[in-house]
Amino acid sequence: DHATRHLLHRSFGYGVALIALLIAAMAAWRGQGVARVAGVAVGAIALVQVVLGVLTVLAASPVSLSLIHQAGAVALWAAALVSARLAWR
């Protein structure tokens, strides 16, 4: 049902955000150069994504905000890939 899907989405999202913030903390602490910047960007994008998710729920899921939230997910995924690539250079 809808409530279960929403709970799973939100729980998974918070888990992803926590991992992204851990990546950002490790990048800020141990990263160097562009790898540090990319890692911190992952955390920043994750925070924006959480805020977008909360706003989407509070606004009763308007299509425009939902699409921005989807775009944020793509940006977070892309930033994570770039960060991973730079970290293992």
Side-chain angles (χ1 to χ4, degrees), residues 1-64:
D1 80 322
H2 179 72
T4 302
R5 285 192 307 263
H6 176 73
L7 177 64
L8 289 173
H9 177 85
R10 188 171 55 187
S11 299
F12 183 74
Y14 287 144
V16 168
L18 178 62
I19 292 168
L21 291 174
L22 290 172
I23 289 170
M26 289 300 295
W29 181 47
R30 301 202 51 166
Q32 298 175 358
V34 292
R36 173 181 279 178
V37 173
V40 171
V42 169
I45 294 169
L47 288 177
V48 170
Q49 184 67 348
V50 168
V51 170
L52 284 171
V54 170
L55 291 175
T56 300
V57 170
L58 291 176
S61 299
V63 172
S64 59

